Amino acid sequence: MKTFEKKIRQSASQHLDGKPAVTQGHVGWESPSNIAIVKYWGKYPGQVPANASLSMTLRESVTRTMMDFYFSEKRKKPGVDFEFHGAAHQGFARRIEKYLTGLSGFMPWISHTKFTIRSENTFPHSSGIASSASAMSALAACLCEIDEQMFGKDPAIEFEQKASFFARLGSGSAARSIYGRMAEWGITASCGDSSDEYAIPLPELHPDFFGLKDSILIITTGEKEVSSSLGHDLMRSNPYAKLRFEAAEENMQRLCNVMRNGDLGQFIDIMENEALSLHAMMMTSSPGYLLMKPGTLEAISRIRKFRAQTGLAIGFTLDAGANVHIIYPGQQEAAITNFIASDLEELCEEKTIIHDGMGMGPRKL
Ligand code: DP6
């Protein structure tokens, strides 16, 4: 069994026959989405990433989750009522129930608890912003808080580490949303105490990267043709997978150095290589698929041309979708938002662009 998992199970076993100090109450957390610079793509059973990843935590794109809980020893499995933007949502409720059932091995009280959950996102669905990252990290933070209210804080376990561990079990990228600015998840030679079990805040970040911006071009709001879960699965038979995992580790090592020394040019170089490598993996899977659209390619070409002409530090990254994340330092905001409005807006569905940037992580409500 993994080290941290063991620690969490040991901690839970200490209060197996103890009654919770609190049996009902209310908690709320707001948690952000994130955009990966080095991508997590491919995993092993138990939400173990095939390579380490590094992301920027967003500021504006967040999920707000409010949770009422009622503990009763008579209840034998978790119950969930779930409302998304004020409307009951059975599909999400079942998914959360499954997630909670999985977590009850770590927090046995979950099996005896009824949850009433209300959640909302500040960003539109299918916008290319990872809603699973913000939603699962907000849920994990709520559960960790209830756990502390019921059984007290275990001084041997950090709140964030535990929240990141539980968020990961819901969605890998959610593990990184627990930390502000930049976070790293997965064992890598380049980051001190990195782990496959939880994310860590990037240990050293040059101040030139503080306040990075992310303007998201909504090329299309349509549902993705292939889900990320299937995409991860297809990596198992991708003939280039091994090379990809090695290249990702190399990019992690380079990027961690760059994040320390503040070289924006190299940052952009690595980021764009990662975005294109991710989509190359999609194209070379069996069956192969393409999530980029003509507007995606046109935007990339215009961004690169603008960079060559102006020398400004502007680069792009892509998530598992067609929408383009434009990343640039806050100091260049005026010039770059002008360029986006004049040259890129026309490529977006209903001219939609979401302006976001680096955020400081989850917040208790
Ligand atoms: C392309 O975290 O959504 O956004 O663990 O199956 O929930 P699950 O996958 P998920 O995959 C994210 C893939 C990515 C890259 C990244 O965020 O690192």
Side-chain angles (χ1 to χ4, degrees):
M1 196 189 294
K2 304 246 177 177
T3 333
F4 192 69
E5 180 172 328
K6 208 162 149 190
K7 211 162 145 181
I8 293 212
R9 284 192 194 276
Q10 262 165 7
S11 174
S13 68
Q14 287 165 15
H15 32 75
L16 263 186
D17 8 280
K19 299 238 182 304
V22 170
T23 54
Q24 55 175 285
H26 175 83
V27 295
W29 277 84
E30 170 186 296
S31 190
S33 184
N34 66 72
I35 177 69
I37 310 297
V38 172
K39 310 289 182 182
Y40 146 56
W41 199 242
K43 61 175 159 178
Y44 306 116
Q47 290 286 94
V48 176
N51 63 266
S53 57
L54 192 146
S55 58
M56 170 167 107
T57 301
L58 297 180
R59 191 184 59 226
E60 307 294 339
S61 303
V62 301
T63 297
R64 295 197 184 103
T65 297
M66 312 300 282
M67 200 183 261
D68 293 325
F69 61 94
Y70 312 89
F71 173 95
S72 153
E73 267 177 73
K74 283 193 218 126
R75 176 178 275 282
K76 295 295 174 228
K77 57 185 183 118
V80 177
D81 281 341
F82 183 78
E83 270 185 20
F84 187 59
H85 286 268
H89 199 304
Q90 291 300 326
F92 286 157
R94 297 295 80 82
R95 193 175 154 195
I96 295 170
E97 226 167 60
K98 200 167 153 211
Y99 171 61
L100 291 171
T101 305
L103 293 191
S104 59
F106 302 104
M107 292 182 277
W109 58 267
I110 286 181
S111 302
H112 308 288
T113 302
K114 167 82 197 284
F115 299 87
T116 305
I117 305 170
R118 279 166 293 125
S119 195
E120 56 184 40
N121 291 347
T122 55
F123 52 95
H125 189 59
S126 300
S127 57
I129 296 172
S131 55
S132 63
S134 53
M136 299 317 287
S137 55
L139 267 181
C142 287
L143 294 170
C144 288
E145 196 190 335
I146 300 175
D147 191 55
E148 282 194 9
Q149 284 188 13
M150 287 184 169
F151 298 101
K153 192 173 163 35
D154 182 338
I157 297 178
E158 241 184 71
F159 183 90
E160 285 83 1
Q161 221 166 37
K162 190 161 126 182
S164 178
F165 175 90
F166 290 134
R168 176 196 116 233
L169 297 175
S171 177
S173 52
R176 300 183 309 238
S177 278
I178 295 295
Y179 295 99
R181 292 205 172 110
M182 313 249 1
E184 188 278 335
W185 169 47
I187 292 174
T188 165
S190 45
C191 250
D193 279 333
S194 60
S195 167
D196 285 346
E197 296 187 274
Y198 48 80
I200 56 169
L202 191 68
E204 281 177 274
L205 183 63
H206 192 281
D208 282 3
F209 290 108
F210 291 179
L212 272 184
K213 300 287 173 190
D214 177 10
S215 293
I216 306 150
L217 306 181
I218 308 301
I219 303 290
T220 170
T221 52
E223 279 295 324
K224 282 188 287 196
E225 287 130 49
V226 179
S227 70
S228 286
S229 310
L230 184 54
H232 283 292
D233 277 357
L234 288 172
M235 281 302 277
R236 281 195 254 145
S237 57
N238 187 308
Y240 302 101
K242 189 168 175 281
L243 281 176
R244 160 63 198 153
F245 302 146
E246 285 165 9
E249 172 59 14
E250 242 172 70
N251 278 343
M252 276 300 293
Q253 298 195 13
R254 279 181 65 205
L255 190 63
C256 284
N257 265 326
V258 163
M259 301 311 293
R260 252 192 306 270
N261 65 31
D263 187 331
L264 273 160
Q266 279 204 47
F267 170 78
I268 289 169
D269 206 50
I270 299 165
M271 175 171 72
E272 295 190 352
N273 174 272
E274 277 289 316
L276 297 177
S277 301
L278 169 71
H279 284 257
M281 289 301 107
M282 297 172 189
M283 292 182 223
T284 53
S285 288
S286 277
Y289 60 105
L290 273 164
L291 295 183
M292 290 187 279
K293 300 282 178 208
T296 315
L297 300 181
E298 185 57 30
I300 291 174
S301 143
R302 290 186 194 182
I303 292 165
R304 288 186 156 174
K305 197 163 153 207
F306 176 76
R307 180 167 71 223
Q309 281 166 352
T310 60
L312 289 175
I314 172 175
F316 70 85
T317 187
L318 305 167
D319 224 325
N323 299 330
V324 181
H325 291 248
I326 305 179
I327 312 287
Y328 51 96
Q331 298 90 307
Q332 299 176 2
E333 190 168 11
I336 290 177
T337 48
N338 278 341
F339 158 66
I340 292 175
S342 62
D343 289 50
L344 300 176
E345 200 180 78
E346 64 187 22
L347 301 173
C348 302
E349 197 173 290
E350 294 177 6
K351 299 191 171 178
T352 311
I353 296 166
I354 296 173
H355 292 287
D356 208 328
M358 187 179 275
M360 299 310 287
R363 195 169 65 91
K364 195 170 156 165
L365 297 172

